[in-house]
């Protein structure tokens, strides 16, 4: 019963957030749901006290009430987030020249031809015309809204820089992708509190070293580490190494990134959940010789600092929370259930920021890929007994098939591209990802000690990175590497996953009943 309640709460809360984001459900809907829940709880309690013999029929009423209560909670949480008070100062300045001072609030995102800065405005220059003289008066800007600034590659800025900006303030707009689908760019930026944009404004640095002390120094360490890689490894190999190891935001170039998409390996370019798991496992192994309390505490702090250093993306946070649950489970002697951990991590993240559920592709794909590995991999592995287990070939093929098949509908909807060589390229590349990360890490670490030592290790790292890029280049050049499909309706995707969910729940319930039946049929232990 506890497991059912857990999943009803989980699914109900996420359904409430998703429903409100799609249909803009009103607060009145949530209140009606709360009232209905109270009625269901009352009916359940009445049957329990008055008719205990037939109370067995009321757990479903109780579960329905729990589900609706969770749905209404999701609606309330999303409504509270979405209907925040508008910043009328910025709203009234749309389309006009606007001058302000602000703080670079995130690590700059360096692209091929431009850099994107996420800036938290602090104050603006108010111009008043008094007696034919123009006086400038600084005024504070209240609120959490951020401005996305697109500027040139130079001069360079860093997290914590205070800058003065002057340009035309605009609102983000949605745009149509190559597959004909409109990308909700407004919601995508809003999940990070970005509601305004500026293109190529005038920027002047005022001061440096502001912002959070820990975050600033971690990002500085990350930049030095990435610089150590760039000293001994050529591009684009160095950018690839920085991306898969510490999530550094260096552009590989549009052509190379397109090739990674066409070969089904775009998840390798960024710091994926798989890569995060490898790093966190390395942290825990490094601390394994310490006393249990110290090791666990150090592991938790290490995971937190790593997530902060890599920018706290949805994928990294999700993997970090699940890893923290593993540590807690081991420390307390409890069993660790991956699906429950995924559910807890997802709900915590969505509760903190409800917009990511429907507006953050990395969060969606990361959670779905993890679910596919847990729920679908065993099915494929049972049907791949003819493959050898040596070098984890069978497990790797099963995991790759599970994620490729399960994510196919949502990937087609998002990108319109289906990689026909994705299975093979993943098999060829994923097996060397741990070794590539290890060699790249040693290169960056050796760079703090000796450039000569870093160069020696760099040759081995370069071989692994060059192998990955060669596989991508060769398979992307094949005429049948990928297909571009027309736009499909979102409801086709929703229907697919609803059907899959029903089948999965029924099979899991059937398996539980079989296990229960076997348990009853077993003789008592002597």
């Amino acid at each position: 019963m506890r497991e059912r309640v857990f999943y009803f709460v989980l699914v109900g809360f996420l359904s409430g957030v998703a429903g409100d984001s799609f249909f803009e459900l009103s607060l009145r809907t949530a209140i009606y749901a709360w009232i209905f829940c109270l009625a269901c709880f009352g009916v359940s309690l009445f049957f329990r006290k008055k008719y205990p013999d037939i109370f067995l029929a009321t757990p479903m009423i109780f579960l329905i009430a729990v589900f609706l209560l969770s749905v209404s909670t999701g609606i309330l949480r999303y409504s509270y987030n979405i209907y925040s008070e508008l910043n009328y100062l910025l709203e009234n300045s749309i389309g006009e020249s606007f001058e302000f001072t602000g703080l670079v609030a995130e690590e700059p995102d360096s692209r091929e031809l431009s850099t994107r800065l996420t800036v938290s405005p602090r104050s603006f220059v108010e111009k008043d015309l008094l007696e034919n003289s123009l006086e400038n008066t600084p005024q504070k800007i209240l609120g959490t809204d951020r401005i996305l600034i697109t500027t040139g590659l130079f001069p360079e800025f860093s997290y914590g820089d205070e800058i003065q900006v002057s340009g035309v303030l605009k609102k983000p707009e949605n745009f149509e992708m190559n597959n004909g689908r409109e990308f909700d760019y407004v919601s995508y930026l809003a999940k990070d509190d970005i509601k305004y944009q500026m293109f190529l404004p005038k920027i002047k640095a005022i001061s440096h070293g502001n912002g959070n002390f820990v975050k600033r120094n971690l990002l500085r360490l990350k930049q030095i580490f990435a610089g150590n890689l760039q000293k001994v490894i050529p591009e684009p190999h160095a950018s690839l190494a920085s991306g898969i190891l510490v999530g550094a935001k260096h552009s590989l170039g549009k052509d190379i990134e397109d090739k990674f998409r066409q070969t089904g390996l775009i998840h390798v370019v960024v710091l994926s959940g798989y890569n995060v798991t490898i790093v966190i496992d390395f942290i825990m192994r490094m601390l394994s010789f310490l006393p249990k309390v110290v090791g666990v505490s150090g592991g938790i702090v290490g995971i937190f600092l790593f997530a902060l250093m890599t920018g706290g993306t949805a994928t990294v946070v999700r993997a970090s929370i699940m890893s923290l649950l593993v540590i807690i489970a081991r420390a307390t002697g409890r069993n660790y259930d991956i699906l429950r951990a995924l559910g807890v991590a997802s709900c915590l993240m969505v509760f903190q920021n409800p917009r990511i559920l429907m507006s953050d592709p990395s969060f969606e794909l990361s959670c779905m890929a993890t679910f596919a590995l847990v729920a679908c991999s065993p099915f494929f592995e049972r049907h791949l007994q003819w493959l050898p287990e040596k070098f984890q070939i069978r497990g790797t093929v099963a995991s790759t098939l599970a994620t490729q098949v399960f994510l196919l509908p949502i990937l087609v909807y998002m990108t319109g591209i289906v990689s026909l060589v994705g299975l093979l390229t993943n098999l060829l590349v994923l097996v060397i990802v741990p070794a590539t990360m290890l060699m790249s890490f040693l290169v960056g670490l050796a760079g703090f000690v000796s450039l000569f030592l870093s160069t020696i290790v760099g040759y081995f790292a370069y071989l692994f990175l060059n192998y990955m890029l060669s596989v991508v280049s060769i398979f992307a050049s094949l005429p049948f590497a990928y297909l571009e499909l027309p736009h499909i309706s979102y409801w086709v995707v929703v229907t697919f996953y609803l059907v899959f969910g029903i089948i999965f729940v029924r099979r899991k319930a059937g398996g539980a009943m079989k296990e229960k039946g076997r348990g009853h049929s077993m003789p008592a232990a002597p």
Side-chain angles (χ1 to χ4, degrees):
M1 185 66 175
R2 288 183 179 180
E3 185 175 3
R4 288 187 178 183
V5 171
F6 172 80
Y7 285 113
F8 268 69
V9 170
L10 168 68
V11 176
F13 176 74
L14 297 179
S15 299
V17 173
D20 198 4
S21 64
F22 262 110
F23 304 109
E24 297 183 0
L25 303 175
S26 63
L27 183 62
R28 184 181 301 175
T29 304
I31 295 175
Y32 286 157
W34 273 76
I35 295 174
F36 187 76
C37 290
L38 293 176
C40 289
F41 281 126
V43 170
S44 179
L45 184 63
F46 173 79
F47 274 98
R48 181 177 183 179
K49 287 186 175 181
K50 296 292 184 179
Y51 305 99
D53 295 337
I54 63 173
F55 178 67
L56 293 176
T58 62
M60 184 52 65
I61 299 177
F62 176 79
L63 290 175
I64 292 175
V66 168
F67 178 78
L68 292 176
L69 184 65
S70 302
V71 169
S72 58
T73 304
I75 295 173
L76 289 172
R77 180 66 188 95
Y78 188 84
S79 299
Y80 177 80
N81 180 269
I82 196 71
Y83 298 118
S84 59
E85 186 176 353
L86 287 175
N87 191 322
Y88 291 105
L89 166 65
L90 298 178
E91 288 291 326
N92 293 332
S93 301
I94 299 298
E96 300 178 358
S97 180
F98 188 70
E99 184 176 340
F100 70 96
T101 61
L103 193 72
V104 179
E106 298 293 342
E107 179 186 14
D109 184 3
S110 298
R111 303 294 178 96
E112 193 173 7
L113 299 174
S114 63
T115 299
R116 298 184 181 185
L117 305 175
T118 301
V119 180
S120 294
R122 289 183 166 183
S123 63
F124 73 103
V125 177
E126 183 178 31
K127 298 180 180 180
D128 295 320
L129 189 63
L130 298 175
E131 297 180 358
N132 298 325
S133 65
L134 195 63
E135 296 185 359
N136 297 339
T137 306
Q139 300 287 340
K140 288 186 177 181
I141 297 180
L142 302 178
T144 59
D145 294 342
R146 295 174 168 183
I147 301 174
L148 181 65
I149 296 177
T150 302
T151 183
L153 297 176
F154 301 99
E156 296 183 347
F157 298 96
S158 302
Y159 167 80
D161 288 351
E162 185 178 11
I163 57 178
Q164 182 176 343
V165 185
S166 178
V168 178
L169 193 66
K170 296 183 179 181
K171 295 275 283 187
E173 296 180 355
N174 298 339
F175 58 87
E176 187 174 300
M177 301 176 65
N178 294 333
N179 61 349
R181 184 178 77 90
E182 182 183 66
F183 180 64
D184 192 358
Y185 191 56
V186 175
S187 298
Y188 176 77
L189 293 180
K191 69 179 173 53
D192 297 318
D193 293 326
I194 300 174
K195 299 180 182 178
Y196 307 93
Q197 282 183 298
M198 274 189 176
F199 295 93
L200 302 177
K202 295 180 180 179
I203 304 178
K204 177 183 177 182
I206 299 177
S207 64
H208 307 281
N210 304 289
N212 183 276
F213 173 81
V214 176
K215 183 176 181 179
R216 184 177 70 249
N217 285 280
L218 285 173
L219 291 177
R220 177 59 181 162
L221 177 64
K222 175 181 173 180
Q223 291 173 358
I224 296 174
F225 186 89
N228 292 341
L229 294 174
Q230 292 174 337
K231 288 178 182 177
V232 298
I233 302 177
E235 293 290 356
H237 303 71
S239 293
L240 178 60
S242 300
I244 65 177
L245 193 60
V246 293
K249 296 182 178 181
H250 296 293
S251 176
L252 283 170
K254 186 177 184 303
D255 182 59
I256 296 179
E257 289 183 1
D258 286 342
K259 289 181 179 179
F260 271 92
R261 290 189 181 89
Q262 294 162 4
T263 54
L265 288 171
I266 189 62
H267 59 89
V268 175
V269 176
V270 296
L271 190 63
S272 66
Y274 174 64
N275 301 19
V276 174
T277 303
I278 293 175
V279 173
I280 292 174
D281 183 65
F282 176 76
I283 293 174
M284 295 307 301
R285 289 180 185 274
M286 291 286 291
L287 301 173
S288 60
F289 69 95
L290 297 173
K292 187 175 181 180
V293 175
V294 179
V296 170
S297 302
I300 293 174
V301 173
I303 292 171
F304 172 77
L305 293 178
F306 178 75
L308 189 62
M309 181 180 69
T310 54
T313 61
T315 300
V316 174
V317 172
R318 193 271 308 159
S320 299
I321 293 176
M322 293 184 68
S323 299
L324 288 175
L325 293 176
V326 172
I327 296 175
I328 294 172
R330 291 177 179 175
T332 57
R334 295 176 178 271
N335 294 327
Y336 178 76
D337 186 292
I338 298 180
L339 283 180
R340 289 186 181 182
L342 177 62
V344 171
S346 302
C347 273
L348 287 175
M349 294 178 66
V350 172
F351 187 83
Q352 190 275 329
N353 185 2
R355 290 180 180 270
I356 66 172
L357 180 61
M358 306 305 298
S359 301
D360 191 343
S362 64
F363 172 76
E364 297 166 3
L365 294 176
S366 176
C367 292
M368 293 174 70
T370 304
F371 179 83
L373 289 173
V374 178
C376 303
S377 290
F379 169 79
F380 285 101
E381 196 161 356
R382 285 195 300 269
H383 292 79
L384 295 172
Q385 297 297 321
W386 49 275
L387 287 176
E389 293 185 0
K390 192 174 182 180
F391 303 116
Q392 298 183 340
I393 293 178
R394 185 190 302 171
T396 304
V397 173
S399 300
T400 305
L401 274 173
T403 53
Q404 293 279 320
V405 173
F406 187 74
L407 295 179
L408 182 61
I410 190 69
L411 287 175
V412 172
Y413 173 76
M414 288 182 175
T415 65
I417 295 177
V418 177
S419 176
L420 301 182
V421 297
L423 175 60
L424 184 55
T425 55
N426 274 272
L427 292 176
L428 293 173
V429 168
L430 291 182
V431 292
I432 68 162
V433 167
T436 305
M437 294 180 67
L438 176 61
M439 289 294 103
S440 301
F441 173 75
L442 293 177
V443 172
L445 191 62
F448 290 101
V449 180
S450 167
L451 180 61
F452 175 73
L453 180 60
S454 178
T455 303
I456 294 176
V457 184
Y459 283 114
F460 297 97
Y462 174 81
L463 291 176
F464 286 111
L465 293 165
N466 191 63
Y467 168 80
M468 295 173 64
L469 289 170
S470 297
V471 169
V472 170
S473 179
I474 292 172
F475 281 89
S477 63
L478 298 177
F480 54 85
Y482 66 96
L483 292 176
E484 292 187 7
L485 301 179
H487 173 60
I488 62 173
S489 171
Y490 186 81
W491 294 108
V492 174
V493 180
V494 172
T495 302
F496 172 83
Y497 288 115
L498 282 177
V499 172
F500 178 88
I502 294 172
I503 295 174
F504 175 75
V505 170
R506 290 176 65 90
R507 289 178 64 90
K508 188 174 182 180
M513 290 297 294
K514 288 181 180 179
E515 290 295 329
K516 187 175 180 180
R518 291 172 185 170
H520 285 300
S521 62
M522 290 176 62

